[in-house]
Amino acid sequence: MNNVRVYVAGHRGLVGSAIVRRLEAAGYDQIVTRTHAELDLTRQEEVEAFFEAERPEYVYLAAAKVGGIGANSTYPAQFIYENLAIALNVIEAARKYGVKKLLNLGSSCIYPKFAPQPIKEEYLLTGPLEPTNEAYAIAKIAAIKLCRYYNQQYGTNFISLMPTNLYGPGDNYDLENSHVLPALIRKFHEAKKAGGPVVLWGDGSPMREFLHADDLADAAVFLMEHADAKDIGEFVNVGTGEDISIKNLAELVARIVGYSGEIVWDTSKPNGTPRKLLDVSRLAALGWKYKIGLEAGIASTYKDFLLRHNR
Ligand SMILES: NC(=O)c1ccc[n+]([C@@H]2O[C@H](COP(=O)([O-])OP(=O)(O)OC[C@H]3O[C@@H](n4cnc5c(N)ncnc54)[C@H](OP(=O)(O)O)[C@@H]3O)[C@@H](O)[C@H]2O)c1
């Protein structure tokens, strides 16, 4: 299956770069990529011209406008417009130019804010969304529905994955808009050099699930190779099915980074949702399970952080 033409959209991102690494490791030798500057996926004519010229047979749609709470609430129009446009253009071009299979990426943050835990696939659209990222979520939900209805009407084979919180090499360490794990790595690293204490929000009790981007890429390639839309249904959760408290996570990151100073929990700050964990039984039934444990995953991510950031 590795002598096929594969387009990875968003190949320089956390997810896209992991998918390219995984495909290369498996011997795929016709991987087509374009940077954002070379091909703006919000431009329909450019996207169609690209598909017409390159004729990819398999497409991983890992391009998206992604950001933290701050960016999502400041630029909601851009988040809904760009993500809808990317999905519309890539999915329609894939249909028009006969792509054999497309893999679309959702995100666990698009489930209802108060979804029961662990979150099953059928909880999507059963309650109000988190208001701070509603614009993003609506666009990502629309992409999942596009795939579903294209399959229904056109007989395409477009699948969607719903990944949990990801981390890994090339993550975003900008403290203004990074996710919790890279933020912890950076804070403990800086406190190791400059001295503590490290002040963290809340009381550390919220439970969260983390998946290494290389594991997500492994699941993506596995499902691309072995599962069709008819096996998967509308989409499938991808996670470890295991969670850890933010307090335990902070202590683990501190140990891996080598920070032995004080950790102060600022309980005047909000905790956020008490628990966010995906139910991964559908994924397990499809035959996939994660391989990279949190400790090993954080250790290799920290090494990558040191290398990339010359610390
Ligand atoms: N990170 C997570 O924890 C997580 C969790 C669950 C799901 N996901 C999903 O995984 C997907 C990828 O996320 P990520 O974390 O890998 O994001 P990322 O690191 O920000 O990468 C996104 C990529 O998309 C490209 N892109 C954005 N707008 C584009 C456009 N208009 N035209 C062409 N390329 C464009 C970006 O290129 P530039 O940088 O050049 O703009 C970048 O390479 C998203 O759908 C996201 O919802 C991520």
Side-chain angles (χ1 to χ4, degrees), residues 18 21 167-169 210-218 240 242 288-301:
R21 280 196 298 279
Y167 70 100
F210 299 93
L211 180 73
H212 195 285
D214 286 344
D215 265 336
L216 172 67
D218 189 64
T240 62
E242 295 164 18
W288 190 88
K289 188 178 190 307
Y290 79 99
K291 297 177 189 72
I292 305 171
L294 200 49
E295 183 153 5
I298 295 172
S300 62
T301 302

PDB file of all heavy atoms in Angstrom, residues 18 21 167-169 210-218 240 242 288-301:
ATOM      1  N   ALA A  18       3.976  14.533  12.233  1.00  0.00           N
ATOM      2  CA  ALA A  18       4.027  13.166  12.783  1.00  0.00           C
ATOM      3  C   ALA A  18       3.512  12.162  11.744  1.00  0.00           C
ATOM      4  O   ALA A  18       4.059  11.056  11.613  1.00  0.00           O
ATOM      5  CB  ALA A  18       3.198  13.087  14.066  1.00  0.00           C
ATOM      6  N   ARG A  21       6.299  11.612   9.231  1.00  0.00           N
ATOM      7  CA  ARG A  21       7.342  10.720   9.806  1.00  0.00           C
ATOM      8  C   ARG A  21       6.887   9.268   9.758  1.00  0.00           C
ATOM      9  O   ARG A  21       7.644   8.372   9.404  1.00  0.00           O
ATOM     10  CB  ARG A  21       7.609  11.083  11.282  1.00  0.00           C
ATOM     11  CG  ARG A  21       8.509  12.257  11.518  1.00  0.00           C
ATOM     12  CD  ARG A  21       9.018  12.283  12.965  1.00  0.00           C
ATOM     13  NE  ARG A  21       7.979  12.412  13.973  1.00  0.00           N
ATOM     14  CZ  ARG A  21       7.399  13.565  14.327  1.00  0.00           C
ATOM     15  NH1 ARG A  21       7.756  14.690  13.742  1.00  0.00           N
ATOM     16  NH2 ARG A  21       6.465  13.599  15.259  1.00  0.00           N
ATOM     17  N   TYR A 167       0.431  15.879  22.257  1.00  0.00           N
ATOM     18  CA  TYR A 167       1.697  16.549  22.574  1.00  0.00           C
ATOM     19  C   TYR A 167       2.771  15.829  21.766  1.00  0.00           C
ATOM     20  O   TYR A 167       2.529  14.729  21.248  1.00  0.00           O
ATOM     21  CB  TYR A 167       2.007  16.487  24.084  1.00  0.00           C
ATOM     22  CG  TYR A 167       2.354  15.094  24.558  1.00  0.00           C
ATOM     23  CD1 TYR A 167       3.690  14.718  24.741  1.00  0.00           C
ATOM     24  CD2 TYR A 167       1.372  14.138  24.770  1.00  0.00           C
ATOM     25  CE1 TYR A 167       4.026  13.427  25.143  1.00  0.00           C
ATOM     26  CE2 TYR A 167       1.699  12.851  25.165  1.00  0.00           C
ATOM     27  CZ  TYR A 167       3.016  12.506  25.352  1.00  0.00           C
ATOM     28  OH  TYR A 167       3.340  11.238  25.739  1.00  0.00           O
ATOM     29  N   GLY A 168       3.944  16.446  21.667  1.00  0.00           N
ATOM     30  CA  GLY A 168       5.006  15.765  20.941  1.00  0.00           C
ATOM     31  C   GLY A 168       5.961  16.760  20.315  1.00  0.00           C
ATOM     32  O   GLY A 168       5.878  17.961  20.572  1.00  0.00           O
ATOM     33  N   PRO A 169       6.880  16.239  19.467  1.00  0.00           N
ATOM     34  CA  PRO A 169       7.907  17.104  18.891  1.00  0.00           C
ATOM     35  C   PRO A 169       7.316  18.218  18.038  1.00  0.00           C
ATOM     36  O   PRO A 169       6.365  18.011  17.299  1.00  0.00           O
ATOM     37  CB  PRO A 169       8.740  16.152  18.018  1.00  0.00           C
ATOM     38  CG  PRO A 169       8.065  14.844  18.042  1.00  0.00           C
ATOM     39  CD  PRO A 169       7.022  14.840  19.088  1.00  0.00           C
ATOM     40  N   PHE A 210      -3.776  12.449  27.617  1.00  0.00           N
ATOM     41  CA  PHE A 210      -2.778  12.948  26.655  1.00  0.00           C
ATOM     42  C   PHE A 210      -2.313  11.809  25.758  1.00  0.00           C
ATOM     43  O   PHE A 210      -2.044  10.709  26.231  1.00  0.00           O
ATOM     44  CB  PHE A 210      -1.564  13.528  27.390  1.00  0.00           C
ATOM     45  CG  PHE A 210      -1.924  14.694  28.262  1.00  0.00           C
ATOM     46  CD1 PHE A 210      -2.227  14.501  29.605  1.00  0.00           C
ATOM     47  CD2 PHE A 210      -1.994  15.975  27.738  1.00  0.00           C
ATOM     48  CE1 PHE A 210      -2.592  15.569  30.409  1.00  0.00           C
ATOM     49  CE2 PHE A 210      -2.363  17.051  28.531  1.00  0.00           C
ATOM     50  CZ  PHE A 210      -2.659  16.848  29.882  1.00  0.00           C
ATOM     51  N   LEU A 211      -2.186  12.145  24.461  1.00  0.00           N
ATOM     52  CA  LEU A 211      -1.715  11.154  23.492  1.00  0.00           C
ATOM     53  C   LEU A 211      -0.540  11.753  22.743  1.00  0.00           C
ATOM     54  O   LEU A 211      -0.593  12.917  22.306  1.00  0.00           O
ATOM     55  CB  LEU A 211      -2.854  10.827  22.510  1.00  0.00           C
ATOM     56  CG  LEU A 211      -2.537   9.795  21.427  1.00  0.00           C
ATOM     57  CD1 LEU A 211      -2.475   8.392  22.024  1.00  0.00           C
ATOM     58  CD2 LEU A 211      -3.604   9.838  20.320  1.00  0.00           C
ATOM     59  N   HIS A 212       0.512  10.970  22.571  1.00  0.00           N
ATOM     60  CA  HIS A 212       1.670  11.447  21.808  1.00  0.00           C
ATOM     61  C   HIS A 212       1.283  11.565  20.331  1.00  0.00           C
ATOM     62  O   HIS A 212       0.590  10.691  19.792  1.00  0.00           O
ATOM     63  CB  HIS A 212       2.836  10.473  21.975  1.00  0.00           C
ATOM     64  CG  HIS A 212       4.148  11.041  21.549  1.00  0.00           C
ATOM     65  ND1 HIS A 212       4.479  11.191  20.221  1.00  0.00           N
ATOM     66  CD2 HIS A 212       5.186  11.526  22.255  1.00  0.00           C
ATOM     67  CE1 HIS A 212       5.687  11.739  20.142  1.00  0.00           C
ATOM     68  NE2 HIS A 212       6.135  11.959  21.368  1.00  0.00           N
ATOM     69  N   ALA A 213       1.752  12.637  19.674  1.00  0.00           N
ATOM     70  CA  ALA A 213       1.405  12.865  18.260  1.00  0.00           C
ATOM     71  C   ALA A 213       1.853  11.688  17.389  1.00  0.00           C
ATOM     72  O   ALA A 213       1.183  11.354  16.400  1.00  0.00           O
ATOM     73  CB  ALA A 213       2.034  14.162  17.771  1.00  0.00           C
ATOM     74  N   ASP A 214       2.956  11.025  17.748  1.00  0.00           N
ATOM     75  CA  ASP A 214       3.403   9.867  16.959  1.00  0.00           C
ATOM     76  C   ASP A 214       2.415   8.697  17.091  1.00  0.00           C
ATOM     77  O   ASP A 214       2.257   7.911  16.153  1.00  0.00           O
ATOM     78  CB  ASP A 214       4.805   9.415  17.393  1.00  0.00           C
ATOM     79  CG  ASP A 214       5.875  10.379  16.901  1.00  0.00           C
ATOM     80  OD1 ASP A 214       5.583  11.203  16.003  1.00  0.00           O
ATOM     81  OD2 ASP A 214       7.004  10.327  17.427  1.00  0.00           O
ATOM     82  N   ASP A 215       1.777   8.590  18.262  1.00  0.00           N
ATOM     83  CA  ASP A 215       0.739   7.563  18.415  1.00  0.00           C
ATOM     84  C   ASP A 215      -0.481   7.929  17.574  1.00  0.00           C
ATOM     85  O   ASP A 215      -1.082   7.056  16.934  1.00  0.00           O
ATOM     86  CB  ASP A 215       0.337   7.414  19.890  1.00  0.00           C
ATOM     87  CG  ASP A 215       1.093   6.285  20.592  1.00  0.00           C
ATOM     88  OD1 ASP A 215       1.555   5.354  19.910  1.00  0.00           O
ATOM     89  OD2 ASP A 215       1.210   6.345  21.835  1.00  0.00           O
ATOM     90  N   LEU A 216      -0.857   9.220  17.581  1.00  0.00           N
ATOM     91  CA  LEU A 216      -1.993   9.611  16.738  1.00  0.00           C
ATOM     92  C   LEU A 216      -1.682   9.299  15.273  1.00  0.00           C
ATOM     93  O   LEU A 216      -2.527   8.772  14.547  1.00  0.00           O
ATOM     94  CB  LEU A 216      -2.317  11.103  16.889  1.00  0.00           C
ATOM     95  CG  LEU A 216      -3.382  11.546  15.862  1.00  0.00           C
ATOM     96  CD1 LEU A 216      -4.729  10.898  16.130  1.00  0.00           C
ATOM     97  CD2 LEU A 216      -3.506  13.038  15.776  1.00  0.00           C
ATOM     98  N   ALA A 217      -0.457   9.619  14.851  1.00  0.00           N
ATOM     99  CA  ALA A 217      -0.079   9.367  13.455  1.00  0.00           C
ATOM    100  C   ALA A 217      -0.140   7.871  13.159  1.00  0.00           C
ATOM    101  O   ALA A 217      -0.577   7.447  12.083  1.00  0.00           O
ATOM    102  CB  ALA A 217       1.328   9.910  13.202  1.00  0.00           C
ATOM    103  N   ASP A 218       0.290   7.068  14.122  1.00  0.00           N
ATOM    104  CA  ASP A 218       0.239   5.612  13.956  1.00  0.00           C
ATOM    105  C   ASP A 218      -1.213   5.148  13.786  1.00  0.00           C
ATOM    106  O   ASP A 218      -1.521   4.344  12.901  1.00  0.00           O
ATOM    107  CB  ASP A 218       0.886   4.949  15.186  1.00  0.00           C
ATOM    108  CG  ASP A 218       1.063   3.462  14.988  1.00  0.00           C
ATOM    109  OD1 ASP A 218       1.832   3.075  14.091  1.00  0.00           O
ATOM    110  OD2 ASP A 218       0.406   2.686  15.713  1.00  0.00           O
ATOM    111  N   THR A 240      -5.836   7.498  24.695  1.00  0.00           N
ATOM    112  CA  THR A 240      -5.274   6.366  25.423  1.00  0.00           C
ATOM    113  C   THR A 240      -6.356   5.678  26.260  1.00  0.00           C
ATOM    114  O   THR A 240      -6.181   4.535  26.675  1.00  0.00           O
ATOM    115  CB  THR A 240      -4.162   6.830  26.388  1.00  0.00           C
ATOM    116  OG1 THR A 240      -4.759   7.731  27.344  1.00  0.00           O
ATOM    117  CG2 THR A 240      -3.048   7.542  25.644  1.00  0.00           C
ATOM    118  N   GLU A 242      -6.900   6.662  29.171  1.00  0.00           N
ATOM    119  CA  GLU A 242      -6.403   6.787  30.553  1.00  0.00           C
ATOM    120  C   GLU A 242      -6.184   8.261  30.846  1.00  0.00           C
ATOM    121  O   GLU A 242      -5.763   9.009  29.969  1.00  0.00           O
ATOM    122  CB  GLU A 242      -5.065   6.054  30.697  1.00  0.00           C
ATOM    123  CG  GLU A 242      -5.202   4.562  30.512  1.00  0.00           C
ATOM    124  CD  GLU A 242      -3.857   3.880  30.273  1.00  0.00           C
ATOM    125  OE1 GLU A 242      -2.807   4.472  30.582  1.00  0.00           O
ATOM    126  OE2 GLU A 242      -3.882   2.760  29.739  1.00  0.00           O
ATOM    127  N   TRP A 288      -6.684  -0.990  17.356  1.00  0.00           N
ATOM    128  CA  TRP A 288      -5.538  -0.110  17.633  1.00  0.00           C
ATOM    129  C   TRP A 288      -5.488   0.272  19.114  1.00  0.00           C
ATOM    130  O   TRP A 288      -6.505   0.513  19.754  1.00  0.00           O
ATOM    131  CB  TRP A 288      -5.608   1.170  16.782  1.00  0.00           C
ATOM    132  CG  TRP A 288      -4.334   1.961  16.868  1.00  0.00           C
ATOM    133  CD1 TRP A 288      -3.230   1.812  16.087  1.00  0.00           C
ATOM    134  CD2 TRP A 288      -4.022   2.991  17.815  1.00  0.00           C
ATOM    135  NE1 TRP A 288      -2.248   2.693  16.486  1.00  0.00           N
ATOM    136  CE2 TRP A 288      -2.700   3.431  17.538  1.00  0.00           C
ATOM    137  CE3 TRP A 288      -4.718   3.588  18.877  1.00  0.00           C
ATOM    138  CZ2 TRP A 288      -2.072   4.433  18.278  1.00  0.00           C
ATOM    139  CZ3 TRP A 288      -4.094   4.584  19.614  1.00  0.00           C
ATOM    140  CH2 TRP A 288      -2.784   4.998  19.311  1.00  0.00           C
ATOM    141  N   LYS A 289      -4.246   0.358  19.636  1.00  0.00           N
ATOM    142  CA  LYS A 289      -4.020   0.806  21.015  1.00  0.00           C
ATOM    143  C   LYS A 289      -2.741   1.640  21.038  1.00  0.00           C
ATOM    144  O   LYS A 289      -1.826   1.381  20.249  1.00  0.00           O
ATOM    145  CB  LYS A 289      -3.855  -0.421  21.917  1.00  0.00           C
ATOM    146  CG  LYS A 289      -3.799  -0.102  23.401  1.00  0.00           C
ATOM    147  CD  LYS A 289      -3.673  -1.393  24.219  1.00  0.00           C
ATOM    148  CE  LYS A 289      -3.844  -1.183  25.712  1.00  0.00           C
ATOM    149  NZ  LYS A 289      -3.035  -0.188  26.350  1.00  0.00           N
ATOM    150  N   TYR A 290      -2.680   2.608  21.938  1.00  0.00           N
ATOM    151  CA  TYR A 290      -1.496   3.484  21.989  1.00  0.00           C
ATOM    152  C   TYR A 290      -0.268   2.696  22.450  1.00  0.00           C
ATOM    153  O   TYR A 290      -0.387   1.667  23.125  1.00  0.00           O
ATOM    154  CB  TYR A 290      -1.753   4.682  22.907  1.00  0.00           C
ATOM    155  CG  TYR A 290      -1.632   4.377  24.381  1.00  0.00           C
ATOM    156  CD1 TYR A 290      -0.468   4.679  25.079  1.00  0.00           C
ATOM    157  CD2 TYR A 290      -2.673   3.772  25.082  1.00  0.00           C
ATOM    158  CE1 TYR A 290      -0.341   4.399  26.429  1.00  0.00           C
ATOM    159  CE2 TYR A 290      -2.557   3.495  26.420  1.00  0.00           C
ATOM    160  CZ  TYR A 290      -1.374   3.811  27.087  1.00  0.00           C
ATOM    161  OH  TYR A 290      -1.250   3.528  28.422  1.00  0.00           O
ATOM    162  N   LYS A 291       0.933   3.220  22.114  1.00  0.00           N
ATOM    163  CA  LYS A 291       2.171   2.522  22.490  1.00  0.00           C
ATOM    164  C   LYS A 291       3.082   3.370  23.366  1.00  0.00           C
ATOM    165  O   LYS A 291       3.889   2.841  24.112  1.00  0.00           O
ATOM    166  CB  LYS A 291       2.944   2.141  21.216  1.00  0.00           C
ATOM    167  CG  LYS A 291       2.190   1.177  20.330  1.00  0.00           C
ATOM    168  CD  LYS A 291       2.959   0.874  19.042  1.00  0.00           C
ATOM    169  CE  LYS A 291       2.118   0.083  18.069  1.00  0.00           C
ATOM    170  NZ  LYS A 291       1.033   0.866  17.440  1.00  0.00           N
ATOM    171  N   ILE A 292       3.002   4.699  23.216  1.00  0.00           N
ATOM    172  CA  ILE A 292       3.973   5.568  23.910  1.00  0.00           C
ATOM    173  C   ILE A 292       3.401   5.996  25.263  1.00  0.00           C
ATOM    174  O   ILE A 292       2.438   6.764  25.332  1.00  0.00           O
ATOM    175  CB  ILE A 292       4.309   6.806  23.042  1.00  0.00           C
ATOM    176  CG1 ILE A 292       4.789   6.353  21.655  1.00  0.00           C
ATOM    177  CG2 ILE A 292       5.342   7.681  23.738  1.00  0.00           C
ATOM    178  CD1 ILE A 292       4.934   7.489  20.648  1.00  0.00           C
ATOM    179  N   GLY A 293       3.998   5.505  26.352  1.00  0.00           N
ATOM    180  CA  GLY A 293       3.563   5.880  27.697  1.00  0.00           C
ATOM    181  C   GLY A 293       3.888   7.348  27.957  1.00  0.00           C
ATOM    182  O   GLY A 293       4.779   7.932  27.314  1.00  0.00           O
ATOM    183  N   LEU A 294       3.194   7.930  28.931  1.00  0.00           N
ATOM    184  CA  LEU A 294       3.331   9.366  29.168  1.00  0.00           C
ATOM    185  C   LEU A 294       4.756   9.746  29.580  1.00  0.00           C
ATOM    186  O   LEU A 294       5.306  10.747  29.106  1.00  0.00           O
ATOM    187  CB  LEU A 294       2.313   9.774  30.242  1.00  0.00           C
ATOM    188  CG  LEU A 294       1.928  11.238  30.335  1.00  0.00           C
ATOM    189  CD1 LEU A 294       1.565  11.824  28.980  1.00  0.00           C
ATOM    190  CD2 LEU A 294       0.765  11.398  31.314  1.00  0.00           C
ATOM    191  N   GLU A 295       5.374   8.929  30.434  1.00  0.00           N
ATOM    192  CA  GLU A 295       6.703   9.283  30.927  1.00  0.00           C
ATOM    193  C   GLU A 295       7.721   9.300  29.774  1.00  0.00           C
ATOM    194  O   GLU A 295       8.463  10.271  29.601  1.00  0.00           O
ATOM    195  CB  GLU A 295       7.129   8.300  32.017  1.00  0.00           C
ATOM    196  CG  GLU A 295       8.469   8.674  32.590  1.00  0.00           C
ATOM    197  CD  GLU A 295       8.655   8.195  34.026  1.00  0.00           C
ATOM    198  OE1 GLU A 295       7.776   7.489  34.560  1.00  0.00           O
ATOM    199  OE2 GLU A 295       9.706   8.546  34.599  1.00  0.00           O
ATOM    200  N   ALA A 296       7.726   8.233  28.977  1.00  0.00           N
ATOM    201  CA  ALA A 296       8.666   8.175  27.841  1.00  0.00           C
ATOM    202  C   ALA A 296       8.339   9.265  26.830  1.00  0.00           C
ATOM    203  O   ALA A 296       9.231   9.894  26.245  1.00  0.00           O
ATOM    204  CB  ALA A 296       8.582   6.802  27.172  1.00  0.00           C
ATOM    205  N   GLY A 297       7.060   9.511  26.618  1.00  0.00           N
ATOM    206  CA  GLY A 297       6.641  10.515  25.642  1.00  0.00           C
ATOM    207  C   GLY A 297       7.064  11.919  26.053  1.00  0.00           C
ATOM    208  O   GLY A 297       7.535  12.704  25.221  1.00  0.00           O
ATOM    209  N   ILE A 298       6.909  12.229  27.345  1.00  0.00           N
ATOM    210  CA  ILE A 298       7.302  13.572  27.808  1.00  0.00           C
ATOM    211  C   ILE A 298       8.829  13.695  27.749  1.00  0.00           C
ATOM    212  O   ILE A 298       9.363  14.747  27.363  1.00  0.00           O
ATOM    213  CB  ILE A 298       6.770  13.843  29.240  1.00  0.00           C
ATOM    214  CG1 ILE A 298       5.238  13.873  29.236  1.00  0.00           C
ATOM    215  CG2 ILE A 298       7.318  15.168  29.780  1.00  0.00           C
ATOM    216  CD1 ILE A 298       4.599  13.931  30.612  1.00  0.00           C
ATOM    217  N   ALA A 299       9.530  12.624  28.100  1.00  0.00           N
ATOM    218  CA  ALA A 299      11.003  12.680  28.084  1.00  0.00           C
ATOM    219  C   ALA A 299      11.508  12.971  26.668  1.00  0.00           C
ATOM    220  O   ALA A 299      12.382  13.826  26.463  1.00  0.00           O
ATOM    221  CB  ALA A 299      11.580  11.372  28.620  1.00  0.00           C
ATOM    222  N   SER A 300      10.941  12.302  25.664  1.00  0.00           N
ATOM    223  CA  SER A 300      11.442  12.546  24.306  1.00  0.00           C
ATOM    224  C   SER A 300      10.990  13.913  23.805  1.00  0.00           C
ATOM    225  O   SER A 300      11.705  14.583  23.050  1.00  0.00           O
ATOM    226  CB  SER A 300      11.027  11.423  23.352  1.00  0.00           C
ATOM    227  OG  SER A 300       9.631  11.372  23.258  1.00  0.00           O
ATOM    228  N   THR A 301       9.825  14.356  24.233  1.00  0.00           N
ATOM    229  CA  THR A 301       9.347  15.682  23.831  1.00  0.00           C
ATOM    230  C   THR A 301      10.243  16.768  24.442  1.00  0.00           C
ATOM    231  O   THR A 301      10.561  17.776  23.798  1.00  0.00           O
ATOM    232  CB  THR A 301       7.879  15.871  24.282  1.00  0.00           C
ATOM    233  OG1 THR A 301       7.099  14.838  23.689  1.00  0.00           O
ATOM    234  CG2 THR A 301       7.321  17.215  23.842  1.00  0.00           C
TER     235      THR A 301
END
